[in-house]
Every structure is written in structure tokens, then in C-alpha cells.
Amino acid sequence: MKHTHTHTQRTRHGRGPARRIGRSLALVLPVVMVLSGTLAVTRVNWSGSGSSPSVLAASDVSSAEVAHRPKALAPHEVLRDKLLVELQEKNPGVALTHLQQAVNGRPSLARHCTSIAHALGRAAVRAYGPSRAQSYARPVCDTSFATGVAAQHT
């Protein structure tokens, strides 16, 4: 009785049809995904206005237009600006309280807390004078507010 090992030899050496299909997919699928993703991104209306579904090509925007566009502010810069206005309109104590609440509510802002508190301290000296500004000092962000007051005063 003679047994042929044709089937076991093909699968053992990886030359079966499933292996060929798998290799073809492994080569073609990433290319298809990248191209379809690129096309999808160019079709999305990133401006936020729903008026025009046009596609923006890179050649449609001049370098002068790009250079004169206002940059979007980072979340910590928006918070800093808001708190500086609040310091002017109300007082540094309110701004420091809101800074602490913002950092507690959004921990990603914690690494910017000291620079924001320092800026609030400097602004408080300009608005209220060194003695009155120091009276608002709190242990928010490791006394960075007080450091900002001292730095502006000297």
C-alpha cells in the first residue's frame, strides 16, 4: 500500500492556495487602507462650516495665507487668558480658585499650572500693587502665584 504525502507536503512548506492568498492580502491591504484613509481625510470639511463640501488641495492655499492665519491657542493658553481677564474684572483670589478647579477637573493642565499661576501673580502686581497682590496668595501650584508677585515686584 502506497500513500502519497502530496497534501501534507504542500501545507508543510506553505505553498498551498491559502498561503498565497494571505501573502497577496498582506501586500495589497495596507496600500488600499492608506489610500482610502488619505482620500477620506481630504474629503472631510475641517473648517466646521457646512456651506461648502469642496475639497481643498494643497495648491489652493498660498504660503502668504498660511503665514497670516491666526494660530489656535492651546487649552492652557485659553485658560491663562481667561483667568487674566477674570483677575482684572474680579480679583486674583477668584482667578486662583478657578485655576485650581480647572486643574482638578482636567489633570492634563497640571503641568502648566505653575506658569499660569506665575503669570497671574505678575498681572496681580500690575493691577493691585505688590502688597495687595501678595494678600491673595494661596498654595495653588506650589506657591507659583507668590513667586510671580515677587518676580514682578523686584
Side-chain angles (χ1 to χ4, degrees):
M1 194 185 249
K2 188 174 183 185
H3 294 283
T4 60
H5 296 284
T6 310
H7 178 67
T8 57
Q9 288 176 348
R10 265 194 202 157
T11 57
R12 199 177 318 160
H13 294 293
R15 298 178 192 224
R19 178 78 172 196
R20 283 192 303 264
I21 291 171
R23 281 187 176 179
S24 298
L25 283 176
L27 292 173
V28 173
L29 195 58
V31 174
V32 170
M33 291 179 71
V34 168
L35 289 175
S36 64
T38 303
L39 292 174
V41 168
T42 59
R43 292 273 178 203
V44 172
N45 183 2
W46 294 103
S47 68
S49 62
S51 61
S52 171
S54 65
V55 176
L56 180 65
S59 62
D60 293 342
V61 180
S62 70
S63 60
E65 289 174 342
V66 171
H68 290 93
R69 269 190 207 154
K71 289 185 176 181
L73 294 176
H76 69 278
E77 294 170 326
V78 172
L79 176 63
R80 181 198 60 220
D81 293 349
K82 177 184 163 202
L83 293 175
L84 287 170
V85 169
E86 197 169 61
L87 181 139
Q88 296 294 324
E89 292 176 352
K90 296 178 182 172
N91 66 54
V94 173
L96 287 170
T97 298
H98 289 153
L99 173 60
Q100 188 65 54
Q101 290 171 346
V103 170
N104 289 344
R106 197 166 173 191
S108 64
L109 293 171
R111 64 183 168 143
H112 303 288
C113 187
T114 55
S115 65
I116 294 171
H118 195 80
L120 289 173
R122 290 191 312 263
V125 169
R126 288 191 299 272
Y128 297 97
S131 298
R132 190 164 171 213
Q134 188 62 41
S135 71
Y136 289 103
R138 303 187 178 166
V140 176
C141 306
D142 298 327
T143 67
S144 295
F145 177 82
T147 306
V149 169
Q152 184 67 23
H153 181 61
T154 55

